Amino acid sequence: MLSKRQLLILQVIIDEFIKTAQPIGSRAISKKEEVTFSPATIRNEMADLEEMGFLEKTHSSSGRIPSEKGYRFYVDHLLNPVHLSTEDRHVISSVFDRDMVEFEQVIQNSVSMLSDLTNYTSIILGPEVYETTLKQLQIIHLSTTTAVAILVTSSGHVEHRSFTIPQAINPHDLEKLVNILNERLVGVPIIHLDKRLKQELTHILDHYIQDINTAFNYLKGALLDQQPTNIYVGGITNMLLQPEFNDVAKIHSLYSVIEKEDIMANILRSEDRGIHISIGHENQMIEMSDCSLITATYSLKGNQYGTIALLGPKRMEYSRVVALLNALSGQMTNTFHNW
Amino acid sequence: MLSKRQLLILQVIIDEFIKTAQPIGSRAISKKEEVTFSPATIRNEMADLEEMGFLEKTHSSSGRIPSEKGYRFYVDHLLNPVHLSTEDRHVISSVFDRDMVEFEQVIQNSVSMLSDLTNYTSIILGPEVYETTLKQLQIIHLSTTTAVAILVTSSGHVEHRSFTIPQAINPHDLEKLVNILNERLVGVPIIHLDKRLKQELTHILDHYIQDINTAFNYLKGALLDQQPTNIYVGGITNMLLQPEFNDVAKIHSLYSVIEKEDIMANILRSEDRGIHISIGHENQMIEMSDCSLITATYSLKGNQYGTIALLGPKRMEYSRVVALLNALSGQMTNTFHNW
DNA sequence: AATTAGCACTCGAAAGAGGTGAGTGCTAAC
DNA sequence: GTTAGCACTCACCTCTTTCGAGTGCTAATT
């Protein structure tokens, strides 16, 4: 168990290191006004804290920096729930005061606001579509041989894809097919669409369509093949401002992960509801082991939810970020529920 | 006027520097088999070339590196039109052999192919929409108070936006309005849509709609307000691999420009048809003064055209890049014309 | 018994010194 | 006109030295 004094010292060290990114020495700590004891005492305590694994030295005679265990303890026990500064709150509400009517607009604005506010990289994962249903299926002919298929979901998401109509398919048949599908598939959850599409098609096979398989494959290809990348990233270059990343090799390996949307989406998706913090090697990707990732979830109507996250150095402003994410996720949830 | 020998030396230096990024000395040049004269002679010629501004030294006793004027001369006069290597040609055609039916698909594939092939950053600007016309306008109701407006262009582009239907507007009126607009506006070029929309609306004002202005503003907001970002970037992290950019400050200032889509779009848009090369300070943005930008245009049916570009260090593989861009722009043009 | 002053010690960072080698410019010989 | 020869330059490397901020330990103080 840590003594009260040890807690105080740990807190001061981490707070200070978050600000300066420099190892903290005993003298610097003793100058803090909330600290009443001498450097020598602090040195003893620091030695103990290091032995327990909460602190590290960069070299044998340097000041201390927090270890990952130290950060973990800090976020678990020392994070007094700081209230948002009025400026922060102001910025957030000014964004949400605007009349935003589109989902992507909210996300985009939130992403850039978050990264501007924090100087970290912000990542937002759109909601999972479990409960979204098909609203309308539509084919619009562009010419005799090309058309664009449009799929609208109950959440207002629009997916589209143009394709060439193969010779084997009679355009008229295609239209009939779409009509029938609309009749039967509207209201079906998107994730079941694939299965239902096949069902319905075999059902009505004989009646209308000559070459059902070709038509099906085309429709399917047009509508369901491409996994929509549901992820929004802002302030990637902010990482370049952090002193821990002024090494091109580090930046490169980090960027190569952030760039991979499917990987990032998976990471964010795997987090629980509420706030979650991954510090250094707690992250799934080794490339992110110099970073911390803080995630929060927002929700839409009908139990759908998405994730907002901030990626920064391990030395993040945890309390402020947590407060920001809380506020933002609240605002987003609010906005979406009012639609 | 440059002597034949000077031309040869200049060429060798630039070719070599492009490969190695190291200053080239007289001894190294004399070892090239096409060079028959001694280091001393070469030193004299190099001194002349430097005096004329084609070469530079990094310090008083270093080898020479090309100046921007040197590069300019090189691309203007020394670029023997190298044919594409069979591998390069193979990669390009393998991408275009796939059946690509959607515009964005072609662009996306091209962008990533270009950056993979060259290790530079590739940027593609979608075509200007001068001659694209409205194919269909559509409103799909999601609930009693929300709807998504969809606009399909003759080129297969789909623009969409969800919005809340304000109380002031009778949903039925909205539908009528859309029907009428469809009747009258299909075939109108997108860039005139704004004007024509207003015209038509005032025209039919009395007959159908009660609160025309609100409806108009909503429709306009839904469809025309947001400028679609028409720009695709690939391989940004490739810049990190170039030795001239292993300085975080440089990377940061460069990335901050590339990130601004509107700026990049403007730069690309301003280039002429055909191949164009901007070297170092010839670039519009000072942040890009360590870079060269090579642009080429591709065309769609009906005089629309777009731009493909590669951004790399000044020390780019000009001849290969020009050949690549030529081939790619040809392939793209071809593909689009066949649709 | 806990705290603190004092002091020797450690180590990185910065600054300086010397050596090396790849390069140059110039001059004189070919 | 070309080239060999040579003195010179300068970045880069390595090796020292110095400096200071920090430590750990011991002994004195409270």
Side-chain angles (χ1 to χ4, degrees):
Chain A
M1 206 52 253
L2 293 181
S3 71
K4 211 160 179 181
R5 194 164 65 190
Q6 285 173 327
L7 290 177
L8 175 60
I9 290 175
L10 186 56
Q11 172 123 36
V12 169
I13 290 178
I14 298 185
D15 282 341
E16 203 62 19
F17 187 72
I18 286 175
K19 275 193 216 132
T20 64
Q22 297 297 323
I24 317 297
S26 54
R27 232 177 76 87
I29 298 174
S30 76
K31 278 188 185 145
K32 286 260 146 189
E33 52 179 27
E34 65 265 41
V35 174
T36 54
F37 23 89
S38 78
T41 313
I42 295 168
R43 281 204 288 282
N44 289 327
E45 298 288 23
M46 288 203 292
D48 290 348
L49 284 168
E50 184 179 359
E51 214 161 88
M52 288 184 274
F54 295 111
L55 295 178
E56 286 173 358
K57 284 191 277 200
T58 59
H59 61 89
S60 79
S61 73
S62 76
R64 301 305 206 289
I65 62 171
S67 68
E68 288 184 10
K69 186 177 170 189
Y71 283 122
R72 171 49 60 199
F73 188 89
Y74 177 82
V75 302
D76 285 346
H77 302 112
L78 299 175
L79 221 53
N80 38 358
V82 171
H83 297 300
L84 273 192
S85 74
T86 32
E87 299 106 85
D88 285 350
R89 195 177 338 222
H90 205 260
V91 173
I92 295 183
S93 59
S94 79
V95 165
F96 280 83
D97 279 352
R98 279 183 259 160
D99 178 39
M100 293 187 290
V101 285
E102 195 173 358
F103 180 77
E104 299 212 348
Q105 211 181 343
V106 177
I107 304 268
Q108 288 284 10
N109 286 335
S110 300
V111 150
S112 57
M113 181 191 69
L114 262 188
S115 56
D116 287 350
L117 228 42
T118 58
N119 269 331
Y120 303 132
T121 297
S122 63
I123 309 162
I124 299 192
L125 183 67
E128 295 304 317
V129 285
Y130 301 129
E131 312 217 1
T132 341
T133 59
L134 179 66
K135 196 77 196 182
Q136 186 146 3
L137 196 64
Q138 196 135 22
I139 292 205
I140 294 172
H141 288 268
L142 300 172
S143 69
T144 45
T145 55
T146 60
V148 45
I150 299 177
L151 178 157
V152 183
T153 71
S154 57
S155 65
H157 189 76
V158 177
E159 206 56 60
H160 65 93
R161 179 119 168 219
S162 12
F163 58 99
T164 42
I165 305 166
Q167 305 250 317
I169 296 183
N170 178 340
H172 199 62
D173 281 351
L174 192 65
E175 213 152 298
K176 267 196 283 181
L177 177 64
V178 170
N179 281 337
I180 298 164
L181 289 178
N182 253 321
E183 270 171 40
R184 310 206 173 193
L185 293 180
V186 166
V188 170
I190 297 298
I191 42 163
H192 298 146
L193 208 56
D194 192 354
K195 204 173 61 194
R196 285 291 301 273
L197 191 56
K198 194 136 206 172
Q199 269 175 20
E200 291 298 329
L201 280 172
T202 35
H203 226 234
I204 52 179
L205 172 70
D206 324 309
H207 294 69
Y208 303 94
I209 312 286
Q210 290 150 14
D211 186 351
I212 194 74
N213 265 323
T214 329
F216 169 71
N217 285 332
Y218 255 78
L219 256 183
K220 196 185 155 203
L223 293 175
L224 302 173
D225 257 11
Q226 81 196 111
Q227 170 84 351
T229 57
N230 218 2
I231 200 159
Y232 304 77
V233 182
I236 326 188
T237 53
N238 283 351
M239 281 300 182
L240 295 167
L241 301 170
Q242 302 295 341
E244 29 271 279
F245 291 99
N246 73 24
D247 171 18
V248 174
K250 269 189 199 166
I251 285 286
H252 192 209
S253 80
L254 183 57
Y255 278 6
S256 65
V257 182
I258 302 181
E259 226 179 8
K260 299 203 181 92
E261 302 197 327
D262 47 336
I263 291 183
M264 289 309 291
N266 262 321
I267 292 174
L268 295 202
R269 226 188 319 264
S270 66
E271 298 301 349
D272 304 326
R273 299 289 194 105
I275 297 269
H276 188 260
I277 302 181
S278 300
I279 299 163
H281 290 82
E282 293 171 9
N283 282 298
Q284 296 176 37
M285 296 280 121
I286 12 120
E287 288 87 346
M288 284 162 58
S289 52
D290 285 327
C291 301
S292 281
L293 180 73
I294 308 187
T295 61
T297 49
Y298 61 90
S299 74
L300 276 80
K301 271 180 184 163
N303 245 353
Q304 301 169 70
Y305 70 102
T307 310
I308 55 186
L310 275 168
L311 182 70
K314 286 189 285 189
R315 185 185 60 80
M316 275 177 103
E317 291 181 82
Y318 291 99
S319 61
R320 173 152 173 262
V321 166
V322 168
L324 275 173
L325 286 181
N326 261 328
L328 181 60
S329 98
Q331 281 277 18
M332 285 174 70
T333 302
N334 230 342
T335 307
F336 295 142
H337 277 251
N338 286 340
W339 284 359
Chain B
M1 206 50 258
L2 293 182
S3 72
K4 211 161 179 180
R5 195 163 65 190
Q6 286 173 325
L7 291 177
L8 176 60
I9 290 174
L10 186 57
Q11 172 122 37
V12 168
I13 290 179
I14 299 185
D15 283 341
E16 204 60 21
F17 187 72
I18 286 175
K19 276 192 216 136
T20 64
Q22 297 299 322
I24 317 296
S26 55
R27 231 176 78 88
I29 298 173
S30 76
K31 278 189 185 145
K32 285 260 147 190
E33 53 179 26
E34 65 265 41
V35 174
T36 54
F37 23 90
S38 78
T41 312
I42 295 168
R43 281 203 288 281
N44 288 329
E45 298 287 23
M46 288 202 294
D48 290 349
L49 284 169
E50 183 177 357
E51 211 160 273
M52 287 185 274
F54 294 111
L55 295 179
E56 285 172 357
K57 285 191 279 198
T58 58
H59 60 89
S60 78
S61 74
S62 75
R64 302 303 207 289
I65 63 171
S67 68
E68 287 185 11
K69 186 175 170 191
Y71 283 121
R72 173 49 61 200
F73 188 88
Y74 177 83
V75 302
D76 285 345
H77 302 111
L78 299 175
L79 221 53
N80 38 358
V82 171
H83 297 301
L84 273 194
S85 73
T86 32
E87 300 106 86
D88 285 350
R89 192 175 342 215
H90 204 259
V91 173
I92 295 182
S93 58
S94 79
V95 166
F96 279 84
D97 279 352
R98 280 183 258 160
D99 178 40
M100 293 188 291
V101 285
E102 194 174 357
F103 180 78
E104 299 210 350
Q105 210 181 345
V106 177
I107 303 267
Q108 288 285 9
N109 286 336
S110 300
V111 150
S112 57
M113 181 190 69
L114 261 188
S115 55
D116 288 350
L117 230 41
T118 58
N119 269 329
Y120 302 133
T121 297
S122 63
I123 308 161
I124 299 192
L125 183 66
E128 295 303 317
V129 286
Y130 300 128
E131 313 216 359
T132 334
T133 60
L134 178 65
K135 195 77 197 183
Q136 187 147 0
L137 197 64
Q138 195 134 22
I139 291 204
I140 295 173
H141 288 267
L142 299 173
S143 68
T144 43
T145 53
T146 59
V148 45
I150 298 178
L151 179 157
V152 183
T153 71
S154 58
S155 65
H157 189 77
V158 176
E159 204 60 59
H160 64 93
R161 182 121 168 214
S162 11
F163 59 99
T164 42
I165 306 165
Q167 306 249 319
I169 296 182
N170 177 341
H172 200 62
D173 282 352
L174 192 64
E175 213 152 299
K176 268 197 282 183
L177 176 65
V178 171
N179 280 338
I180 298 162
L181 288 177
N182 253 321
E183 271 170 40
R184 308 207 177 194
L185 292 180
V186 166
V188 170
I190 297 297
I191 44 165
H192 298 145
L193 208 55
D194 192 357
K195 203 174 62 196
R196 284 290 301 275
L197 192 57
K198 193 137 207 170
Q199 269 175 20
E200 290 299 329
L201 280 172
T202 36
H203 225 233
I204 53 182
L205 174 68
D206 325 310
H207 294 69
Y208 304 93
I209 313 283
Q210 289 150 15
D211 186 349
I212 194 75
N213 265 323
T214 328
F216 169 72
N217 285 332
Y218 255 79
L219 256 183
K220 197 183 154 207
L223 293 173
L224 302 171
D225 257 10
Q226 81 195 109
Q227 170 85 350
T229 56
N230 218 2
I231 201 159
Y232 303 78
V233 182
I236 326 187
T237 53
N238 283 350
M239 280 301 183
L240 295 167
L241 301 171
Q242 303 294 343
E244 29 273 276
F245 290 100
N246 79 27
D247 171 19
V248 174
K250 270 189 197 166
I251 284 285
H252 191 213
S253 80
L254 183 57
Y255 277 7
S256 66
V257 182
I258 302 182
E259 226 180 10
K260 298 202 181 95
E261 301 198 327
D262 47 335
I263 292 183
M264 288 310 291
N266 262 323
I267 291 174
L268 295 202
R269 228 190 317 267
S270 66
E271 297 301 349
D272 303 326
R273 298 287 193 108
I275 297 271
H276 187 261
I277 302 180
S278 299
I279 299 164
H281 290 82
E282 292 171 11
N283 282 298
Q284 297 176 35
M285 296 281 121
I286 12 120
E287 287 88 347
M288 285 164 57
S289 53
D290 285 326
C291 301
S292 281
L293 181 73
I294 308 188
T295 61
T297 49
Y298 62 89
S299 74
L300 276 78
K301 271 179 183 162
N303 246 354
Q304 301 169 70
Y305 70 101
T307 309
I308 55 186
L310 275 168
L311 181 71
K314 286 190 285 191
R315 183 184 63 78
M316 271 178 109
E317 292 181 81
Y318 290 100
S319 60
R320 173 152 173 263
V321 166
V322 168
L324 274 174
L325 285 181
N326 259 329
L328 181 61
S329 99
Q331 281 276 19
M332 285 173 71
T333 301
N334 231 341
T335 306
F336 294 141
H337 277 251
N338 285 341
W339 284 0

